[in-house]
Amino acid sequence: MSDAQTATRALRSLDLTDLTDNCTDQAIDALCKKALDPHGPVAAVCVWPQFVKRSQENLRGSPVRIATVVNFPAGGEDVSRVTDDTQEALSDGANEIDLVLPYEALRRGDVAVAAEMVEAVRDLVDQGRLLKVILETGELKDPKLIAQASRLAIDAGADFIKTSTGKTPVSATPEAAEIMLEAIKASGKPVGLKPSGGIRTVADAKIYLDLADRIMGFGWATPQTFRIGASSVYDALIAAIEGRAGTTAAGTY
């Protein structure tokens, strides 16, 4: 597959992200404009909850979905606060909720707390809306813990499992993605994968697409089952599609 073909696949599965601490209305307007690029559109934009309504105004009438984050980035354990935040985001128009798993609870062996959080949010995310559970694999580190977190999220009703918040020293890695894909395959459930954080080049995107093709079969990785969470890979994907030399990635995610 050529770089242009890989880039087209990646672009259409992109969750174009702005979770910078200093995000502005103007930045959201620019993000939504990129999301509607003729080479795409991308699958979704992923924004802070306070920008869901503005994103909805920008994207009205388009197929681009609006994702937002809850329990982000720390992965706390206050279920009622997180369900309140989720309900508010859904009321504002979010189509997808990216929930950070209480990964510290899981690390200390408190599986029940982590499962309760996912199940409580799952109960709210209905009517064709998606729940993506962020495992924070760079903090879990241990392959056995990553596998356990994957199974827990899938069993509790996740539509996608996602590697990372992009706010920790280690974000997506192929090793973690492989463990997650194996858990998805073993479950037999229609669950997707979202590698996120640190994906900046067409070659980076290709690593994850190739993993999905190898483990799940070619054709599995569509926007319904595969997303790339990134801000900085967009320009490189567009350059590859247009046959230009790769541009330097800008952005932190």
Side-chain angles (χ1 to χ4, degrees):
M1 187 176 289
S2 70
D3 278 0
Q5 289 170 314
T6 298
T8 298
R9 279 184 83 191
L11 183 70
R12 291 175 181 164
S13 292
L14 188 63
D15 281 7
L16 188 59
T17 301
D18 191 335
L19 295 171
T20 53
D21 294 332
N22 56 353
C23 186
T24 63
D25 285 348
Q26 291 70 32
I28 292 299
D29 294 345
L31 188 81
C32 291
K33 187 176 179 183
K34 283 183 172 182
L36 297 172
D37 188 276
H39 295 299
V42 304
V45 295
C46 188
V47 299
W48 291 109
Q50 62 266 35
F51 294 113
V52 167
K53 283 184 175 176
R54 190 171 188 95
S55 299
Q56 188 182 47
E57 290 162 11
N58 274 289
L59 296 169
R60 198 178 304 280
S62 85
V64 178
R65 295 169 67 91
I66 299 163
T68 194
V69 291
V70 296
N71 208 29
F72 188 96
E77 298 171 27
D78 186 340
V79 174
S80 62
R81 182 183 66 77
V82 175
T83 53
D84 285 350
D85 290 348
T86 301
Q87 191 62 65
E88 186 174 351
L90 294 170
S91 298
D92 283 350
N95 309 113
E96 305 183 357
I97 298 293
D98 287 31
L99 163 72
V100 183
L101 186 78
Y103 58 90
E104 289 291 356
L106 193 67
R107 282 211 297 199
R108 65 171 188 268
D110 198 340
V111 177
V113 166
E116 181 190 1
M117 175 78 75
V118 180
E119 288 165 358
V121 175
R122 168 77 276 171
D123 286 344
L124 298 174
V125 183
D126 56 5
Q127 299 172 333
R129 297 180 291 206
L130 296 180
L131 172 59
K132 307 204 222 42
V133 178
I134 304 170
L135 308 184
E136 203 63 288
T137 54
E139 293 296 295
L140 291 176
K141 299 185 177 106
D142 181 347
K144 289 180 181 174
L145 265 184
I146 295 169
Q148 182 185 14
S150 300
R151 290 192 299 269
L152 183 155
I154 292 167
D155 290 346
D159 295 303
F160 276 74
I161 49 177
K162 174 177 171 180
T163 59
S164 328
T165 59
K167 301 287 187 181
T168 55
V170 177
S171 290
T173 64
E175 294 78 14
E178 182 163 4
I179 294 165
M180 294 163 72
L181 284 165
E182 293 289 3
I184 290 168
K185 187 174 184 178
S187 78
K189 295 181 179 179
V191 175
L193 174 76
K194 180 178 172 180
S196 58
I199 299 168
R200 296 189 170 87
T201 66
V202 176
D204 290 340
K206 186 176 189 301
I207 288 168
Y208 295 101
L209 283 164
D210 285 352
L211 264 178
D213 289 345
R214 176 168 63 80
I215 294 169
M216 303 302 295
F218 189 79
W220 176 84
T222 71
Q224 286 69 48
T225 51
F226 182 84
R227 301 286 181 85
I228 293 172
S231 60
S232 53
V233 76
Y234 175 89
D235 290 339
L237 297 180
I238 296 295
I241 292 167
E242 294 181 349
R244 295 182 280 115
T247 55
T248 303
T252 56
Y253 192 84

